[in-house]
Amino acid sequence: MSRQGGRSADPRKVSQELFTLTYGSLVSQLVKDYESDEEVNKQLDKMGYNIGIRLVEDFLARSGERRCNDFRETADIIAKSGFKMFLGITPTVANWSAAGDEFSLIFDNNPLTDFVELPEEHSQLNYSNILCGVIRGALETVQMDVNVRFVQDLLKGDNQTELKVKFIKRLEDAVPAGEE
Amino acid sequence: MTIYNLYIFDRNGVCLFYQEWTREKHPGMSQEEEFKLMYGMIFSIKSFVSRMAPVDFKDGFSSFCTSSYKLHFHETASGLKFVMNTSLNVGSIHDELQHIYSAIFVEHVVRNPLSKLGQAIDSQLFKTKLDSYVRGLPFFTKVN
């Protein structure tokens, strides 16, 4: 928890633990409310999406970032600037596909899962699935359609947590009515 | 120096907000039509400017002047468009429009879960904050 030292200066920041535990109770409530892990994953993704489309405005306003010219720049900004600002971590960008349209974010430390152990009966649960939705929602707002999914998860016994982000297409500006 | 009016459009061309402070002449059309026309023009200018540009540039379209007024334009990476009309003697107001975005729009619209995105803003707090910010700008002088 050494991180917190420098944070108390900004009144808008809350303790990492409060956030982690709140997220934990959200997930456990969803597990109670829905029968399958699949459905919980879906709900988490949906919530993340709704957060992402708003969070991105906050991010742009505070960071002053401009539009990215390519997907590599996008990856860098997500990892070094976005995750840093909101979760205080910097995941590694790796595993670029040959076409440059897919990369992985590798986390050696995921603040969402600080106090979590995944019970065996929830082997399908992507505990941090909300992150997929947040990234998708945020990028959609800056006109990038992407697919985000977990391919490895420390909670499931993998060596690291790995999130794959795949670029699908560029969304175009809305054309005004009556113009083609 | 005067500020005439301000339009905020989202990336789908919906006019989220409109306010006028000093506007001597009104267009002979409904407000809805006026918003569509304004968005259409901005859209066309943007594509015109980027196609005609003889060099690579980052900022794109930022303002135009006529003989009697100046239109300032600012777009965020998320596609929000801020359009402000002022008198000719006002310089670049890029920073002011950015401030309206980051300190007023994000703070009172995006961070307010009750305000739906993609619809006209009806938050009174937003309107009050914006109005007092604009009225406090050094180049806001109301001519009576």
Side-chain angles (χ1 to χ4, degrees), chain A residues 18-30 112 116 127:
Chain A
L18 174 64
F19 173 65
T20 303
L21 294 171
T22 310
Y23 182 69
S25 35
L26 171 79
V27 177
S28 73
Q29 187 61 47
L30 285 174
L112 290 182
V116 182
Y127 184 86

Side-chain angles (χ1 to χ4, degrees), chain A residues 46-84:
Chain A
K46 206 159 118 190
M47 286 179 191
Y49 174 83
N50 287 327
I51 294 173
I53 55 177
R54 284 180 187 254
L55 200 67
V56 71
E57 301 285 2
D58 195 73
F59 174 75
L60 294 171
R62 280 159 67 184
S63 66
E65 285 306 343
R66 298 169 158 273
R67 232 164 236 220
C68 296
N69 296 318
D70 61 30
F71 203 43
R72 285 180 187 268
E73 199 182 334
T74 312
D76 263 4
I77 291 176
I78 293 174
K80 296 196 183 120
S81 192
F83 272 96
K84 182 102 197 101

Side-chain angles (χ1 to χ4, degrees), chain A residues 54 57-58 66-67 173, chain B residues 46 78 101 110-111 115:
Chain A
R54 284 180 187 254
E57 301 285 2
D58 195 73
R66 298 169 158 273
R67 232 164 236 220
D173 244 354
Chain B
K46 267 182 56 187
S78 54
Y101 168 60
V110 177
R111 285 167 162 259
S115 74

Side-chain angles (χ1 to χ4, degrees), chain A residues 12 53-54 57-58 60-62 65-67 140-143 173-176 179, chain B residues 11-12 39 43-44 46 59 77-78 80 101-102 106-107 109-112 115 117:
Chain A
R12 298 207 293 189
I53 55 177
R54 284 180 187 254
E57 301 285 2
D58 195 73
L60 294 171
R62 280 159 67 184
E65 285 306 343
R66 298 169 158 273
R67 232 164 236 220
E140 188 185 294
T141 311
V142 290
Q143 297 181 307
D173 244 354
V175 178
E179 211 175 308
Chain B
R11 66 196 169 109
N12 298 316
Y39 183 78
F43 185 90
S44 310
K46 267 182 56 187
D59 291 330
S78 54
L80 285 166
Y101 168 60
S102 63
V106 169
E107 214 51 45
V109 177
V110 177
R111 285 167 162 259
N112 174 2
S115 74
L117 301 178

Side-chain angles (χ1 to χ4, degrees), chain A residues 13-49:
Chain A
K13 300 218 163 152
V14 299
S15 115
Q16 186 85 67
E17 277 181 38
L18 174 64
F19 173 65
T20 303
L21 294 171
T22 310
Y23 182 69
S25 35
L26 171 79
V27 177
S28 73
Q29 187 61 47
L30 285 174
V31 168
K32 276 183 209 146
D33 290 351
Y34 293 93
E35 286 178 1
S36 74
D37 288 352
E38 271 312 304
E39 195 56 35
V40 175
N41 290 343
K42 220 197 259 170
Q43 291 299 325
L44 285 173
D45 182 83
K46 206 159 118 190
M47 286 179 191
Y49 174 83

